[in-house]
Amino acid sequence: MPRPTLRGLAGKRVLVTGASGAFGGAAMRVLRHVGADAIGLDRKPDPAGPVLACDVADAAQVGRAVPEAVERLGGLDRLIHFAGVGPAVDIGAMPDRLAYEALEVNLLGTWRVTAAALPALLRDRGRVVVTASLLAGIALPFAGAYAVSKRAVTAYADTLRAEYGTHIGVTTVHPGYVDTPIHDASRAAGASLDGLVPAERLRDTVLTVLRAAAARKPPRDTASTPLGGAALRLARHAPALADRVAAVEIAELVRTGELSGGEITRGLRERHGAAPATAP
């Protein structure tokens, strides 16, 4: 995979969402190391970060925090989106608070922050880097709310590019599975993806995002690894094949008992004819 330098970020004014999380925190450290002037937004503020308190699901907080960050930075060259949640849901059940939270944070949070930052980005001919997911195109069980929100955020980035791409850059990054606290909810629900799909390293995603932010000619869409790039192309150019691969994988997970850890998996097991899970 090409490894362009991050020197292009030196002196750039950067705003990062989810800046106290695994991806955002690592990105903030790298940005400081390469000489960027970076401010973060997160539900968990950190004055030393500096990370401003901001829940991207709250329009009022976004309306206060983004202008404050832009004023502190003296403008805005790059907006990097990492804020996200990954609940475990049954896509056949009525949408609940977890589904709404996924849409509010992953999709509408990206939309809100970008809209608030857009005047500064337009003025400074800046760039937006959106973190989507390979799950936007390749379905896995119980990740439906996350996948729907990430496919929607991909469409948002594409539309933003169509409407504003003459004056700002827009790149969408599609990471695969990375073991971060975002997966704690699915583990607690008994629907963990641990070991079920090829894992990527946190640094793969962080460096891919930062390279897109630093590049003179950034990509339109990119994955974090060569294997992720192959999966992205499969989902884009052979979606029916991607569906068949996912169906075979899900059936195998049920057969081997990998998806038998919680009540959320019961219906899927029954539909595949698996024996009921036994209590330990």
Side-chain angles (χ1 to χ4, degrees):
M1 183 170 66
R3 302 178 65 86
T5 179
L6 299 182
R7 286 199 299 263
L9 289 171
K12 295 297 185 185
R13 300 160 298 181
V14 185
L15 180 61
V16 179
T17 72
S20 295
F23 292 123
M28 290 289 287
R29 292 190 291 273
V30 175
L31 287 166
R32 288 194 294 271
H33 177 72
V34 300
D37 189 4
I39 291 180
L41 304 179
D42 201 284
R43 291 172 176 172
K44 299 177 181 179
D46 179 4
V51 179
L52 305 180
C54 180
D55 181 350
V56 299
D58 187 314
Q61 291 187 37
V62 171
R64 290 191 297 268
V66 172
E68 179 182 347
V70 171
E71 182 177 3
R72 286 194 190 186
L73 291 168
L76 190 60
D77 300 304
R78 301 289 186 269
L79 171 59
I80 296 174
H81 288 287
F82 282 119
V85 296
V89 303
D90 180 346
I91 201 68
M94 285 289 185
D96 59 8
R97 64 171 184 84
L98 296 176
Y100 283 110
E101 183 184 25
L103 292 170
E104 283 287 350
V105 175
N106 299 350
L107 169 61
L108 297 178
T110 299
W111 192 331
R112 289 185 189 98
V113 173
T114 304
L118 198 55
L121 289 167
L122 289 169
R123 183 175 58 248
D124 297 324
R125 296 280 181 158
R127 184 180 306 163
V128 181
V129 183
V130 174
T131 305
S133 172
L134 290 176
L135 292 188
I138 298 178
L140 288 177
F142 313 114
Y146 180 80
V148 168
S149 68
K150 289 299 188 178
R151 184 174 291 196
V153 86
T154 299
Y156 171 74
D158 291 346
T159 307
L160 181 70
R161 186 183 302 107
E163 294 191 22
Y164 291 90
T166 53
H167 288 70
I168 64 171
V170 182
T171 291
T172 308
V173 177
H174 302 265
Y177 173 79
V178 182
D179 185 5
T180 69
I182 197 173
H183 298 289
D184 289 348
S186 59
R187 293 188 183 107
S192 172
L193 299 178
D194 295 333
L196 306 184
V197 294
E200 296 180 357
R201 298 173 300 175
L202 184 144
R203 72 186 301 272
D204 293 328
T205 294
V206 171
L207 291 180
T208 299
V209 167
L210 294 182
R211 287 171 189 146
R216 179 173 296 180
K217 294 182 178 180
R220 180 187 189 277
D221 294 273
T222 185
S224 300
T225 65
L227 182 60
L232 181 60
R233 290 190 294 275
L234 177 68
R236 287 282 176 86
H237 303 296
L241 177 58
D243 290 346
R244 291 196 293 273
V245 170
V248 169
E249 179 67 14
I250 292 169
E252 179 65 11
L253 294 176
V254 173
R255 186 190 68 80
T256 58
E258 297 287 349
L259 290 176
S260 59
E263 177 62 23
I264 194 174
T265 69
R266 181 174 60 85
L268 181 66
R269 296 196 308 269
E270 291 177 352
R271 291 192 296 277
H272 282 263
T278 57

